[in-house]
Amino acid sequence: MKQYLSIHDIDSLPAWVAQARELKADSSALKALGKGKTIGLLFFNNSLRTRLSTQKAALNLGLDVMAMNFGNEGWALEYQDGTVMDRGTSEHIKEAAQVVSQYCDIIAIRAFASLSNRENDEAELVLNGFKKFAEVPIVNMESSVGHPLQALADAITLAEQNSKPRPKVVLSWGPHPKALPHAVANSFVEMMQLQEADFVITHPKGYELNPIITKNCAIEYDQQRALENADFVYVKNWSSYSDYGKVLSQDQDWMMTQEKLGHAKFMHCLPVRRNVVVEDAVLDGENSLVIEQANNRTFAAQIVLKKILESS
Ligand code: CP
């Protein structure tokens, strides 16, 4: 495997999940695989889980790790061809990607959506810039439109926690004071389309995700109806896609409560705002899977890095 940019780079989700669970049972078994090789983690945005879990996954495989907060420590990058660089940008992606390739055998990148220009965000300037000009494999640690490491960890968590042949899984929008990207929701939807499940998305009108991504998914605007008989409820905020990047509602009636959740298992990628997105009783309750989801980020990253190392 030469890259992990989206869920579509997974050739068999059940096989990957099974292999990730084997790695979880013996995480240091492949300590020799990455010996003498280096992964570079480039962060254009903040992180807790992604940074530490990807680093831990790399260390479990014997890789050396270099991390850089590109957003405030690196030179401001230029992405357009032929630009007269007499403004704010100091280095072109052409040189930057090739230079990082001299130091690293794998480059992992986090670069969020700006939420100000849909066309630019969907062009994935940072991720695709590195993909085009780097000479080593690229891993997406959350880009403008996708967070495939999170979705793979969520698939591992679902497999571990599910006991039904066809569980009901609900993705519910939750209120949030800030405009957040669509990446986590997009990749979760793409991952769920590879699952045997009754999958329903619920959100207020105006919060429809990109219809190309949600294509055949059931969408229910009544949250209470969507939650009926749910086995798993994944809550996430995202901003409007049609009125791009706007917060159209902060309706607290959409906050997940223990009463609404019932006996379903609760999922969220974290970080989460308590008592805004979800009430304390849910996060502190026995049906919350959020810490195990974070734990599984390591094994999602580890299976991805293992496959890249084995094919390089
Ligand atoms: N879920 C997730 O990606 O967490 P971080 O933003 O802290 O990395």
Side-chain angles (χ1 to χ4, degrees), residues 46-51 110 112 142 147 150 269-271 297:
N46 295 346
S47 171
L48 188 162
R49 280 143 291 274
T50 304
R51 179 161 176 164
R110 163 163 284 201
F112 290 172
E142 187 172 344
H147 195 355
Q150 180 66 52
C269 62
L270 302 181
R297 290 293 309 273

Side-chain angles (χ1 to χ4, degrees), residues 15-309:
W16 282 43
V17 166
Q19 290 164 32
R21 293 177 73 182
E22 282 171 24
L23 282 176
K24 187 175 180 178
D26 188 4
S27 60
S28 300
L30 299 173
K31 204 83 178 170
L33 186 62
K35 194 169 163 35
K37 295 193 170 174
T38 301
I39 184 169
L41 310 180
L42 308 186
F43 286 90
F44 292 76
N45 304 96
N46 295 346
S47 171
L48 188 162
R49 280 143 291 274
T50 304
R51 179 161 176 164
L52 295 183
S53 64
T54 309
Q55 185 157 344
K56 187 168 167 63
L59 294 172
N60 283 346
L61 293 168
L63 282 159
D64 290 322
V65 182
M66 298 195 296
M68 182 168 175
N69 291 321
F70 231 92
N72 53 16
E73 294 171 0
W75 301 113
L77 295 184
E78 176 62 50
Y79 299 95
Q80 304 301 332
D81 257 346
T83 311
V84 178
M85 288 171 54
D86 58 358
R87 301 261 167 120
T89 54
S90 304
E91 176 156 26
H92 203 281
I93 184 72
K94 285 184 185 178
E95 284 81 45
Q98 290 179 79
V99 167
V100 178
S101 303
Q102 308 309 303
Y103 312 137
C104 301
D105 301 280
I106 303 171
I107 302 173
I109 297 161
R110 163 163 284 201
F112 290 172
S114 68
L115 295 179
S116 57
N117 182 319
R118 186 160 95 181
E119 199 178 326
N120 278 354
D121 284 347
E122 293 188 338
E124 296 275 31
L125 296 178
V126 182
L127 194 69
N128 283 335
F130 274 93
K131 180 187 162 194
K132 185 169 179 186
F133 297 112
E135 293 152 9
V136 298
I138 303 294
V139 174
N140 180 355
M141 296 195 296
E142 187 172 344
S143 65
S144 296
V145 300
H147 195 355
L149 286 174
Q150 180 66 52
L152 182 53
D154 297 335
I156 298 166
T157 309
L158 282 169
E160 288 175 336
Q161 300 290 333
N162 178 43
S163 56
K164 292 186 176 175
R166 196 174 172 83
K168 179 171 178 183
V169 181
V170 180
L171 171 63
S172 178
W173 179 91
H176 197 284
K178 289 172 67 178
L180 297 189
H182 311 94
V184 169
N186 286 344
S187 289
F188 187 76
V189 169
E190 289 174 332
M191 182 275 289
M192 284 309 303
Q193 288 167 342
L194 304 176
Q195 297 273 12
E196 281 297 321
D198 288 325
F199 179 54
V200 181
I201 307 171
T202 184
H203 52 70
K205 290 208 166 138
Y207 278 97
E208 293 78 9
L209 293 162
N210 181 347
I212 294 170
I213 291 175
T214 56
K215 40 185 188 284
N216 298 320
C217 294
I219 297 172
E220 169 59 67
Y221 294 105
D222 182 331
Q223 189 193 39
Q224 192 179 343
R225 195 175 303 155
L227 293 173
E228 279 170 12
N229 302 315
D231 296 298
F232 295 89
V233 177
Y234 199 110
V235 175
K236 182 71 186 85
N237 170 269
W238 59 86
S239 53
S240 175
Y241 180 75
S242 53
D243 195 357
Y244 192 66
K246 297 289 187 304
V247 175
L248 306 180
S249 166
Q250 295 187 30
D251 185 353
Q252 280 301 300
D253 285 347
W254 279 80
M255 180 174 75
M256 190 51 55
T257 63
Q258 188 57 53
E259 188 182 352
K260 286 191 214 171
L261 187 68
H263 297 295
K265 307 261 192 203
F266 175 77
M267 300 179 75
H268 190 285
C269 62
L270 302 181
V272 69
R273 292 191 182 224
R274 281 176 172 255
N275 304 309
V276 176
V277 177
V278 51
E279 71 174 5
D280 282 340
V282 173
L283 281 171
D284 297 333
E286 60 184 20
N287 280 348
S288 173
L289 302 180
V290 298
I291 304 303
E292 200 49 36
Q293 285 175 263
N295 185 27
N296 283 332
R297 290 293 309 273
T298 299
F299 310 106
Q302 200 168 331
I303 191 67
V304 167
L305 298 181
K306 172 182 179 284
K307 286 177 181 292
I308 288 173
L309 286 168

